[in-house]
Amino acid sequence: MLKSKTFLKKTRAGGVMKIVREHYLRDDIGCGAPGCAACGGAHGGPALEPLPQDPASSLWPRPHYLLPDTNVLLHQIDVLEDPAIRNVIVLQTVLQEVRNRSAPVYKRIRDVTNNQEKHFYTFTNEHHRETYVEQEQGENANDRNDRAIRVAAKWYNEHLKKMSAENQLQVIFITNDRKNKEKAVEEGIPAFTCEEYVKSLTANPELIDRLACLSEEGKEIESGKIIFSEHLPLSKLQQGIKSGIYLQGTFRASRENYLEATVWIHGDTEENKEIILQGLKHLNRAVHEDIVAVELFPKSQWVAPSSVVLQDEGQNEDDVEKEEEREQMLKTAVNEKMLKPTGRVVGIIKRNWRPYCGMLSKSDIKESRRHLFTPADKRIPRIRIETRQASTLEGRRIIVAIDGWPRNSRYPNGHFVKNLGDVGEKETETEVLLLEHDVPHQPFSQAVLSFLPKMPWSITEKDMKNREDLRHLCVCSVDPPGCTDIDDALHCRELKNGNLEVGVHIADVSHFIRPGNALDQESARRGTTVYLCEKRIDMVPELLSSNLCSLRCNVDRLAFSCIWEMNHNAEILKTRFTKSVINSKASLTYAEAQMRIDSATVNDDITISLRGLNKLAKILKKGRIEKGALTLSSPEIRFHMDSETHDPIDLQTKELRETNSMVEEFMLLANISVAKKIHEEFSEHALLRKHPAPPPSNYEILVKAAKSKNLEIKTDTAKSLAQSLDQAESPAFPYLNTLLRILATRCMMQAVYFCSGMDNDFHHYGLASPIYTHFTSPIRRYADIIVHRLLAVAIGADCTYPELTDKHKLADICKNLNFRHKMAQYAQRASVAFHTQLFFKSKGIVSEEAYILFVRKNAIVVLIPKYGLEGTVFFEEKDKPKPHLIYDDEIPSLKIEGIVFHVFDKVKVKIMLDSSNLQHQKIRMALVEPQIPGISIPTDSSNADLNEPEKKKKKLEK
């Protein structure tokens, strides 16, 4: 049966176009119940159970199926995902509405319907002859959809009667909409709210905890005192943004101070790019990453970013007077230069809430069901939840979702989602840091794995098409020990004309991952491989990453080669790119390669090749540095693991050899050569990488710190910065230069991927290169796969596809890649922090030399070179007399009881693990030397004396 919808649409040119949509109605769509004679098994895929054996409901003890409406699906997805809830009919009407309103919930509901054990059935009611309803005159879309859901529920009940008169199998309609429920009951459909139904499942009391609390009445605090001003409605916000009264931006909470946040304003305006918000009322219930509308204050009310470190430790949930007292601490006398644009949140444009990991802070009130949940991410406020299993959840990592934030509540309301496991356990903590940094880490699905080559795999004649056979070359790879995903290999040989031929051979991953299939989509979503201390979350399945794409020695592998002809001064005479087949002659570690180069007795082909590469790399590096490339420093840590327990038994900073630099030089050269080639060929849609020059204000801290040691750092160009860093030596203080380079790293901007047609500034500041991209690591970076595809099209080795030459699609890919790379970096640092804690847990208390990196108002941030470890030493403690502190921002310096601390001063600190707060176990540092009465601790003090539960700051603002 055919229905048609006709409507008129105005065209861009101003004409009117008549559009006719055909809508087919069928009568062969199955109801999903097995054994239904009327449908005759017309349904395919996952189906309902013939006799649901679900937990008995005290409201409806007989067997039944559930049919939820759109809002139940949107807001109670955590309940629906619970194993106890099965046999659910998901209507097409509901699914389409969910898809339009929330992509994450839509993905979750698709995953549940694909899970055979859950028996969720999608019923295509919009195309079924008996359940399709037309929109009536004067009826809005919402009411029409509500009616369509009721019609489907009613049809199901009549349909199921025919199937089993004796079983009395029925469909229960679940809705939280009062009017819709009343209408359903009038029409003879059994209907309950989600809460009523869940509470009736007496065998599963834990399900109640997973209910999202949506009705804010009754959940609000008894005090009823209004704390926050009302959020303006969206229509007013949009008008205000249009007229310039309000500004729209992304809300970024502070890790160090819960009463302060910044809003990054959207758009191209240079002025007021960043607006500061201070104080609970001005933050007005915005949560980290929300899109908000802010009102800018007049200049007379502008404030300076606070240097105070404040953590929300209040036990009394609604002690707002205390908050106001703490807010006064933020206000400090500052000079005009320090003032920044300041404002307040007037409304929320889009909430970006996600499920949060953390721990329960159990209420002191006996038998209380209401407790506070403290998220692991310090930027997220605490969340009030109701749970009956508080005693079981204490000391465990749990996941909680936010439901709403009433005006008279100090904290948002939420509900319990999942128990992850005991705090401090390696598996639990790894799961937490992957979830918190949004790292996709589920096993690859069957759909993805189905696109892998069938084993045993070998190179066929078809594979050799458009490929050069380079198996005769003496190629070898140099990597860190234990590396199984080998992306790159090198060769160097002398040509008959006396010049040198140098080749960089990169795994040809794009041969195996074809555009648009499930494997490609999953790799694009993941964006990068994430390396944790003892775990690797692969971007591509292991068969590719550690086997077929990995350039292991003595096996034939497909590669993409970049080959140069150079003279002995490392000047490039010719460059060519080709798809190839190679056979690596050796897989070496950096140390093994170094030993070969240094050993006078070893003179085989591989070693001669390595020596040639090393000689050229030194010349290339010298040339790069002369152009102004920066050599910065960051303390990288390597753990030595116990082979049995996998706990860290030793911790040291990574040692870099000449061979590290050798490989790096040729990778940089290949990346630059490829960037030039793809940009030549595709000026509008080349995927490139740039590193913006930092604004001069970023360097203030570095310049001031150097000045305090009578050194001058010039920052007008990258070259002058590189030269002044080279000259900033102090014979009496050899480590000073490394400290300056570490500090210079902190001043840098983040390097980002971008599409050449969407930007005109290509320059890479840190490498002093006018153009750059990523080509050399396609096993672990999706950007390189796109670059491989572009290069393959440029040299005629592969065909193009529409998305590759669509600059808007490419810009979207870049946006996701930049986010994934940033999150991977943060997850790696969190993993290092956790393993450092494990190390000091077993090590006990140690005293080490440290250098001051930053001076704060009430603390110093120090770096311990031996462990590459950074931490904060606080000088103000709860319940202790406050010392006399004088902070000078200009120098910068901090004076305590007559002793002055400057950046780069050497101090001695005591390091220990503080487990007083299970959630944020942290490395605590206390000052040993210089000795300050009442602040320093004696060297031989025991753990009992160290009662300063202060926070270790995890610096993520690189």
Side-chain angles (χ1 to χ4, degrees), residues 630-634 699-715 721-730 733-748 851-854 863 903-904:
L630 297 171
T631 315
L632 299 175
S633 180
S634 67
Y699 285 127
E700 273 177 21
I701 185 133
L702 175 69
V703 173
K704 283 179 184 174
K707 199 175 167 190
S708 70
K709 293 283 178 256
N710 300 320
L711 293 168
E712 187 186 10
I713 298 285
K714 293 197 180 99
T715 60
L721 173 65
Q723 284 176 339
S724 48
L725 280 170
D726 286 341
Q727 288 157 13
E729 294 283 352
S730 164
F733 187 0
Y735 195 66
L736 177 65
N737 192 266
T738 308
L739 286 169
L740 282 166
R741 288 180 198 276
I742 288 170
L743 214 49
T745 309
R746 303 293 163 89
C747 304
M748 291 301 145
Y851 293 98
I852 299 176
L853 272 186
F854 302 100
L863 175 77
V903 176
F904 301 148

Short mmCIF file of all heavy atoms in Angstrom, two decimals, residues 630-634 699-715 721-730 733-748 851-854 863 903-904:
data_model
loop_
_atom_site.label_atom_id
_atom_site.label_comp_id
_atom_site.label_asym_id
_atom_site.label_seq_id
_atom_site.Cartn_x
_atom_site.Cartn_y
_atom_site.Cartn_z
N LEU A 630 63.53 23.97 17.54
CA LEU A 630 63.73 23.97 19.00
C LEU A 630 64.07 22.58 19.51
O LEU A 630 63.50 21.60 19.05
CB LEU A 630 62.45 24.43 19.69
CG LEU A 630 61.98 25.86 19.38
CD1 LEU A 630 60.60 26.08 19.94
CD2 LEU A 630 62.95 26.87 19.96
N THR A 631 64.99 22.53 20.46
CA THR A 631 65.25 21.26 21.15
C THR A 631 64.74 21.47 22.56
O THR A 631 65.40 22.10 23.38
CB THR A 631 66.77 20.94 21.17
OG1 THR A 631 67.29 21.19 19.88
CG2 THR A 631 67.01 19.50 21.57
N LEU A 632 63.55 20.99 22.81
CA LEU A 632 62.94 21.20 24.13
C LEU A 632 63.10 19.93 24.95
O LEU A 632 63.59 18.92 24.47
CB LEU A 632 61.48 21.59 23.97
CG LEU A 632 61.29 22.90 23.19
CD1 LEU A 632 59.83 23.18 22.96
CD2 LEU A 632 61.93 24.07 23.91
N SER A 633 62.64 20.00 26.18
CA SER A 633 62.87 18.86 27.05
C SER A 633 61.63 18.59 27.87
O SER A 633 60.94 19.51 28.29
CB SER A 633 64.04 19.17 27.97
OG SER A 633 64.29 18.09 28.81
N SER A 634 61.33 17.31 28.07
CA SER A 634 60.30 16.97 29.04
C SER A 634 60.79 15.72 29.74
O SER A 634 61.34 14.83 29.11
CB SER A 634 58.97 16.71 28.35
OG SER A 634 59.06 15.56 27.57
N TYR A 699 55.31 33.40 27.15
CA TYR A 699 56.72 33.28 27.53
C TYR A 699 57.08 34.03 28.81
O TYR A 699 58.20 33.93 29.28
CB TYR A 699 57.61 33.82 26.40
CG TYR A 699 57.71 32.89 25.22
CD1 TYR A 699 57.44 33.33 23.93
CD2 TYR A 699 58.12 31.57 25.39
CE1 TYR A 699 57.55 32.49 22.83
CE2 TYR A 699 58.23 30.71 24.31
CZ TYR A 699 57.95 31.18 23.03
OH TYR A 699 58.06 30.33 21.97
N GLU A 700 56.10 34.81 29.35
CA GLU A 700 56.44 35.66 30.50
C GLU A 700 57.12 34.88 31.61
O GLU A 700 58.13 35.28 32.14
CB GLU A 700 55.17 36.33 31.04
CG GLU A 700 54.85 37.63 30.35
CD GLU A 700 53.54 38.24 30.84
OE1 GLU A 700 53.10 37.89 31.96
OE2 GLU A 700 52.97 39.06 30.10
N ILE A 701 56.54 33.72 31.94
CA ILE A 701 57.06 32.93 33.07
C ILE A 701 58.49 32.48 32.81
O ILE A 701 59.33 32.49 33.70
CB ILE A 701 56.12 31.73 33.38
CG1 ILE A 701 56.59 30.98 34.62
CG2 ILE A 701 56.00 30.76 32.23
CD1 ILE A 701 55.47 30.72 35.57
N LEU A 702 58.79 32.10 31.55
CA LEU A 702 60.14 31.65 31.19
C LEU A 702 61.13 32.80 31.27
O LEU A 702 62.22 32.67 31.84
CB LEU A 702 60.11 31.08 29.76
CG LEU A 702 61.45 30.66 29.16
CD1 LEU A 702 62.00 29.43 29.87
CD2 LEU A 702 61.31 30.34 27.67
N VAL A 703 60.74 33.95 30.72
CA VAL A 703 61.64 35.12 30.70
C VAL A 703 61.92 35.58 32.13
O VAL A 703 63.07 35.83 32.49
CB VAL A 703 61.01 36.26 29.86
CG1 VAL A 703 61.83 37.53 29.96
CG2 VAL A 703 60.87 35.83 28.41
N LYS A 704 60.86 35.63 32.97
CA LYS A 704 61.05 36.07 34.36
C LYS A 704 61.96 35.10 35.13
O LYS A 704 62.82 35.50 35.90
CB LYS A 704 59.69 36.15 35.07
CG LYS A 704 58.87 37.38 34.71
CD LYS A 704 57.55 37.31 35.46
CE LYS A 704 56.62 38.45 35.09
NZ LYS A 704 55.31 38.29 35.73
N ALA A 705 61.72 33.79 34.91
CA ALA A 705 62.50 32.77 35.62
C ALA A 705 63.97 32.88 35.24
O ALA A 705 64.86 32.80 36.11
CB ALA A 705 61.97 31.39 35.30
N ALA A 706 64.25 33.07 33.95
CA ALA A 706 65.64 33.18 33.49
C ALA A 706 66.27 34.44 34.05
O ALA A 706 67.43 34.46 34.47
CB ALA A 706 65.69 33.19 31.96
N LYS A 707 65.48 35.53 34.08
CA LYS A 707 65.99 36.82 34.58
C LYS A 707 66.41 36.71 36.04
O LYS A 707 67.40 37.31 36.46
CB LYS A 707 64.88 37.87 34.42
CG LYS A 707 65.38 39.30 34.45
CD LYS A 707 64.23 40.25 34.15
CE LYS A 707 64.64 41.67 34.50
NZ LYS A 707 63.47 42.57 34.45
N SER A 708 65.64 35.90 36.80
CA SER A 708 65.99 35.75 38.23
C SER A 708 67.33 35.06 38.40
O SER A 708 67.94 35.12 39.46
CB SER A 708 64.89 34.98 38.96
OG SER A 708 64.89 33.63 38.56
N LYS A 709 67.81 34.38 37.35
CA LYS A 709 69.14 33.76 37.39
C LYS A 709 70.12 34.54 36.49
O LYS A 709 71.12 34.00 36.02
CB LYS A 709 69.06 32.29 36.90
CG LYS A 709 68.27 31.40 37.84
CD LYS A 709 69.08 31.01 39.07
CE LYS A 709 68.29 30.17 40.04
NZ LYS A 709 67.83 30.84 41.22
N ASN A 710 69.77 35.81 36.24
CA ASN A 710 70.60 36.72 35.42
C ASN A 710 70.87 36.21 34.01
O ASN A 710 71.97 36.36 33.48
CB ASN A 710 71.95 37.01 36.12
CG ASN A 710 71.72 37.66 37.47
OD1 ASN A 710 70.84 38.52 37.60
ND2 ASN A 710 72.47 37.23 38.47
N LEU A 711 69.88 35.56 33.43
CA LEU A 711 70.03 35.09 32.05
C LEU A 711 68.95 35.76 31.20
O LEU A 711 67.86 36.05 31.69
CB LEU A 711 69.85 33.57 31.98
CG LEU A 711 70.93 32.74 32.67
CD1 LEU A 711 70.48 31.29 32.76
CD2 LEU A 711 72.27 32.80 31.92
N GLU A 712 69.28 35.96 29.93
CA GLU A 712 68.29 36.59 29.05
C GLU A 712 67.79 35.57 28.04
O GLU A 712 68.57 34.89 27.38
CB GLU A 712 68.94 37.77 28.31
CG GLU A 712 67.91 38.55 27.52
CD GLU A 712 68.52 39.64 26.65
OE1 GLU A 712 69.76 39.69 26.50
OE2 GLU A 712 67.75 40.42 26.08
N ILE A 713 66.48 35.44 27.95
CA ILE A 713 65.87 34.56 26.94
C ILE A 713 65.13 35.45 25.96
O ILE A 713 64.25 36.21 26.34
CB ILE A 713 64.88 33.56 27.59
CG1 ILE A 713 65.60 32.63 28.58
CG2 ILE A 713 64.14 32.75 26.53
CD1 ILE A 713 66.44 31.53 27.97
N LYS A 714 65.51 35.35 24.68
CA LYS A 714 64.83 36.13 23.65
C LYS A 714 63.74 35.25 23.04
O LYS A 714 63.99 34.10 22.71
CB LYS A 714 65.82 36.55 22.56
CG LYS A 714 66.88 37.53 23.04
CD LYS A 714 67.54 38.20 21.83
CE LYS A 714 68.60 39.18 22.26
NZ LYS A 714 69.95 38.61 22.16
N THR A 715 62.56 35.83 22.84
CA THR A 715 61.45 35.00 22.35
C THR A 715 60.79 35.58 21.09
O THR A 715 59.69 35.16 20.73
CB THR A 715 60.37 34.86 23.44
OG1 THR A 715 59.90 36.17 23.77
CG2 THR A 715 60.90 34.18 24.68
N LEU A 721 64.89 32.15 20.24
CA LEU A 721 64.61 31.35 21.44
C LEU A 721 65.58 30.18 21.52
O LEU A 721 66.18 29.92 22.57
CB LEU A 721 63.17 30.84 21.41
CG LEU A 721 62.77 29.86 22.52
CD1 LEU A 721 62.81 30.52 23.89
CD2 LEU A 721 61.38 29.28 22.30
N ALA A 722 65.76 29.47 20.39
CA ALA A 722 66.67 28.31 20.36
C ALA A 722 68.09 28.74 20.72
O ALA A 722 68.78 28.07 21.51
CB ALA A 722 66.65 27.67 18.98
N GLN A 723 68.53 29.89 20.15
CA GLN A 723 69.91 30.34 20.42
C GLN A 723 70.08 30.77 21.87
O GLN A 723 71.06 30.42 22.52
CB GLN A 723 70.27 31.50 19.47
CG GLN A 723 70.56 31.00 18.06
CD GLN A 723 70.80 32.14 17.08
OE1 GLN A 723 70.40 33.27 17.30
NE2 GLN A 723 71.46 31.82 15.97
N SER A 724 69.09 31.52 22.39
CA SER A 724 69.26 31.97 23.78
C SER A 724 69.16 30.80 24.76
O SER A 724 69.79 30.80 25.80
CB SER A 724 68.29 33.10 24.14
OG SER A 724 66.99 32.79 23.75
N LEU A 725 68.40 29.74 24.39
CA LEU A 725 68.38 28.54 25.25
C LEU A 725 69.74 27.84 25.21
O LEU A 725 70.22 27.34 26.23
CB LEU A 725 67.28 27.57 24.79
CG LEU A 725 65.85 27.89 25.23
CD1 LEU A 725 64.85 26.99 24.52
CD2 LEU A 725 65.66 27.76 26.74
N ASP A 726 70.37 27.82 24.02
CA ASP A 726 71.69 27.20 23.90
C ASP A 726 72.74 27.95 24.74
O ASP A 726 73.66 27.35 25.29
CB ASP A 726 72.15 27.17 22.43
CG ASP A 726 71.39 26.12 21.63
OD1 ASP A 726 70.82 25.20 22.27
OD2 ASP A 726 71.35 26.21 20.39
N GLN A 727 72.56 29.29 24.79
CA GLN A 727 73.56 30.09 25.51
C GLN A 727 73.29 30.17 27.00
O GLN A 727 74.14 30.61 27.77
CB GLN A 727 73.60 31.51 24.91
CG GLN A 727 74.23 31.54 23.52
CD GLN A 727 73.79 32.74 22.71
OE1 GLN A 727 73.20 33.68 23.24
NE2 GLN A 727 74.07 32.72 21.42
N ALA A 728 72.10 29.77 27.43
CA ALA A 728 71.72 29.91 28.85
C ALA A 728 72.36 28.81 29.68
O ALA A 728 71.69 27.90 30.15
CB ALA A 728 70.21 29.88 28.98
N GLU A 729 73.65 28.87 29.79
CA GLU A 729 74.38 27.85 30.55
C GLU A 729 74.90 28.47 31.84
O GLU A 729 75.22 29.65 31.88
CB GLU A 729 75.58 27.34 29.73
CG GLU A 729 75.20 26.58 28.47
CD GLU A 729 74.74 25.15 28.75
OE1 GLU A 729 74.86 24.72 29.90
OE2 GLU A 729 74.27 24.49 27.81
N SER A 730 75.00 27.67 32.87
CA SER A 730 75.60 28.15 34.12
C SER A 730 76.53 27.05 34.62
O SER A 730 76.07 25.98 35.00
CB SER A 730 74.49 28.43 35.14
OG SER A 730 75.06 28.52 36.42
N PHE A 733 75.68 25.46 37.72
CA PHE A 733 74.34 24.87 37.81
C PHE A 733 74.02 24.19 36.47
O PHE A 733 73.23 24.68 35.68
CB PHE A 733 73.37 26.02 38.11
CG PHE A 733 71.94 25.59 38.40
CD1 PHE A 733 71.55 24.25 38.39
CD2 PHE A 733 70.97 26.56 38.68
CE1 PHE A 733 70.24 23.89 38.64
CE2 PHE A 733 69.65 26.19 38.93
CZ PHE A 733 69.29 24.86 38.91
N PRO A 734 74.67 23.03 36.19
CA PRO A 734 74.52 22.41 34.86
C PRO A 734 73.07 22.03 34.51
O PRO A 734 72.70 22.03 33.35
CB PRO A 734 75.41 21.17 34.94
CG PRO A 734 75.74 20.99 36.38
CD PRO A 734 75.58 22.30 37.06
N TYR A 735 72.23 21.73 35.53
CA TYR A 735 70.87 21.27 35.24
C TYR A 735 69.94 22.42 34.83
O TYR A 735 68.85 22.21 34.35
CB TYR A 735 70.31 20.54 36.47
CG TYR A 735 69.07 19.72 36.19
CD1 TYR A 735 69.13 18.60 35.37
CD2 TYR A 735 67.83 20.05 36.73
CE1 TYR A 735 67.99 17.84 35.09
CE2 TYR A 735 66.69 19.30 36.47
CZ TYR A 735 66.79 18.20 35.65
OH TYR A 735 65.67 17.45 35.38
N LEU A 736 70.44 23.66 35.02
CA LEU A 736 69.60 24.84 34.73
C LEU A 736 69.10 24.83 33.29
O LEU A 736 67.94 25.15 33.03
CB LEU A 736 70.40 26.12 35.01
CG LEU A 736 69.67 27.43 34.68
CD1 LEU A 736 68.47 27.61 35.57
CD2 LEU A 736 70.59 28.63 34.83
N ASN A 737 69.97 24.45 32.35
CA ASN A 737 69.57 24.49 30.94
C ASN A 737 68.40 23.54 30.68
O ASN A 737 67.45 23.89 29.98
CB ASN A 737 70.77 24.15 30.05
CG ASN A 737 70.47 24.46 28.60
OD1 ASN A 737 70.03 23.59 27.85
ND2 ASN A 737 70.64 25.71 28.20
N THR A 738 68.45 22.36 31.27
CA THR A 738 67.34 21.40 31.11
C THR A 738 66.06 21.97 31.70
O THR A 738 64.98 21.86 31.11
CB THR A 738 67.69 20.07 31.82
OG1 THR A 738 68.96 19.64 31.36
CG2 THR A 738 66.67 18.99 31.53
N LEU A 739 66.17 22.61 32.87
CA LEU A 739 64.99 23.20 33.50
C LEU A 739 64.38 24.28 32.62
O LEU A 739 63.16 24.37 32.48
CB LEU A 739 65.36 23.81 34.86
CG LEU A 739 65.62 22.81 35.99
CD1 LEU A 739 66.23 23.51 37.19
CD2 LEU A 739 64.33 22.12 36.42
N LEU A 740 65.24 25.10 32.01
CA LEU A 740 64.73 26.15 31.12
C LEU A 740 64.00 25.54 29.93
O LEU A 740 62.96 26.03 29.50
CB LEU A 740 65.89 27.03 30.62
CG LEU A 740 66.40 28.08 31.63
CD1 LEU A 740 67.75 28.62 31.18
CD2 LEU A 740 65.40 29.22 31.78
N ARG A 741 64.55 24.44 29.40
CA ARG A 741 63.90 23.80 28.24
C ARG A 741 62.57 23.15 28.65
O ARG A 741 61.62 23.15 27.88
CB ARG A 741 64.84 22.76 27.62
CG ARG A 741 66.00 23.40 26.87
CD ARG A 741 66.93 22.38 26.24
NE ARG A 741 68.22 22.99 25.91
CZ ARG A 741 68.45 23.67 24.78
NH1 ARG A 741 67.51 23.82 23.88
NH2 ARG A 741 69.64 24.19 24.56
N ILE A 742 62.53 22.60 29.88
CA ILE A 742 61.26 22.02 30.36
C ILE A 742 60.22 23.14 30.49
O ILE A 742 59.07 22.99 30.08
CB ILE A 742 61.46 21.30 31.71
CG1 ILE A 742 62.25 19.99 31.50
CG2 ILE A 742 60.13 21.01 32.40
CD1 ILE A 742 62.71 19.31 32.77
N LEU A 743 60.65 24.27 31.02
CA LEU A 743 59.75 25.40 31.19
C LEU A 743 59.31 25.95 29.83
O LEU A 743 58.15 26.32 29.64
CB LEU A 743 60.46 26.50 32.00
CG LEU A 743 59.59 27.34 32.93
CD1 LEU A 743 58.71 26.47 33.79
CD2 LEU A 743 60.44 28.25 33.79
N ALA A 744 60.25 25.97 28.86
CA ALA A 744 59.93 26.45 27.50
C ALA A 744 58.86 25.55 26.87
O ALA A 744 57.98 26.03 26.16
CB ALA A 744 61.18 26.49 26.64
N THR A 745 58.94 24.24 27.15
CA THR A 745 57.94 23.30 26.62
C THR A 745 56.54 23.69 27.11
O THR A 745 55.56 23.59 26.38
CB THR A 745 58.26 21.86 27.08
OG1 THR A 745 59.62 21.58 26.78
CG2 THR A 745 57.38 20.84 26.42
N ARG A 746 56.47 24.13 28.38
CA ARG A 746 55.17 24.50 28.96
C ARG A 746 54.58 25.75 28.30
O ARG A 746 53.40 26.02 28.43
CB ARG A 746 55.29 24.79 30.47
CG ARG A 746 55.87 23.67 31.28
CD ARG A 746 54.91 22.48 31.29
NE ARG A 746 55.58 21.27 31.72
CZ ARG A 746 55.67 20.89 32.98
NH1 ARG A 746 55.10 21.59 33.93
NH2 ARG A 746 56.30 19.79 33.30
N CYS A 747 55.43 26.53 27.65
CA CYS A 747 54.93 27.78 27.03
C CYS A 747 54.35 27.52 25.65
O CYS A 747 53.71 28.39 25.06
CB CYS A 747 56.08 28.79 26.87
SG CYS A 747 56.91 29.17 28.40
N MET A 748 54.60 26.31 25.12
CA MET A 748 54.24 26.04 23.73
C MET A 748 52.73 25.85 23.54
O MET A 748 52.02 25.47 24.46
CB MET A 748 54.95 24.76 23.23
CG MET A 748 56.44 24.92 23.09
SD MET A 748 56.84 26.21 21.95
CE MET A 748 58.31 26.86 22.72
N TYR A 851 64.00 20.83 42.13
CA TYR A 851 64.14 22.21 41.69
C TYR A 851 62.76 22.82 41.55
O TYR A 851 61.81 22.15 41.12
CB TYR A 851 64.85 22.27 40.33
CG TYR A 851 66.28 21.82 40.40
CD1 TYR A 851 66.65 20.52 40.04
CD2 TYR A 851 67.28 22.68 40.86
CE1 TYR A 851 67.96 20.08 40.12
CE2 TYR A 851 68.61 22.25 40.95
CZ TYR A 851 68.93 20.96 40.58
OH TYR A 851 70.24 20.54 40.67
N ILE A 852 62.66 24.11 41.90
CA ILE A 852 61.36 24.79 41.81
C ILE A 852 61.06 25.14 40.36
O ILE A 852 61.87 25.77 39.68
CB ILE A 852 61.35 26.07 42.69
CG1 ILE A 852 61.58 25.69 44.16
CG2 ILE A 852 60.04 26.84 42.51
CD1 ILE A 852 61.69 26.88 45.11
N LEU A 853 59.89 24.70 39.88
CA LEU A 853 59.47 25.03 38.50
C LEU A 853 58.56 26.26 38.49
O LEU A 853 58.64 27.09 37.60
CB LEU A 853 58.69 23.86 37.89
CG LEU A 853 59.47 22.76 37.18
CD1 LEU A 853 58.48 21.80 36.54
CD2 LEU A 853 60.40 23.30 36.11
N PHE A 854 57.62 26.32 39.46
CA PHE A 854 56.69 27.44 39.53
C PHE A 854 56.55 27.87 40.98
O PHE A 854 56.62 27.03 41.88
CB PHE A 854 55.29 27.06 39.03
CG PHE A 854 55.27 26.55 37.63
CD1 PHE A 854 55.22 25.19 37.37
CD2 PHE A 854 55.30 27.43 36.55
CE1 PHE A 854 55.20 24.71 36.07
CE2 PHE A 854 55.28 26.95 35.25
CZ PHE A 854 55.24 25.59 35.00
N LEU A 863 60.23 19.93 40.63
CA LEU A 863 60.54 18.79 39.76
C LEU A 863 61.69 18.02 40.39
O LEU A 863 62.71 18.62 40.78
CB LEU A 863 60.95 19.28 38.37
CG LEU A 863 61.42 18.18 37.42
CD1 LEU A 863 60.22 17.41 36.88
CD2 LEU A 863 62.22 18.74 36.27
N VAL A 903 62.04 30.66 41.26
CA VAL A 903 62.01 29.56 40.29
C VAL A 903 63.44 29.06 40.10
O VAL A 903 64.39 29.86 40.06
CB VAL A 903 61.41 30.04 38.97
CG1 VAL A 903 61.46 28.95 37.92
CG2 VAL A 903 59.97 30.47 39.17
N PHE A 904 63.62 27.76 39.96
CA PHE A 904 64.90 27.06 39.74
C PHE A 904 65.75 26.91 41.01
O PHE A 904 66.85 26.37 40.94
CB PHE A 904 65.76 27.70 38.64
CG PHE A 904 65.08 27.76 37.30
CD1 PHE A 904 65.33 28.80 36.41
CD2 PHE A 904 64.18 26.79 36.92
CE1 PHE A 904 64.70 28.85 35.18
CE2 PHE A 904 63.55 26.83 35.69
CZ PHE A 904 63.81 27.87 34.82
#
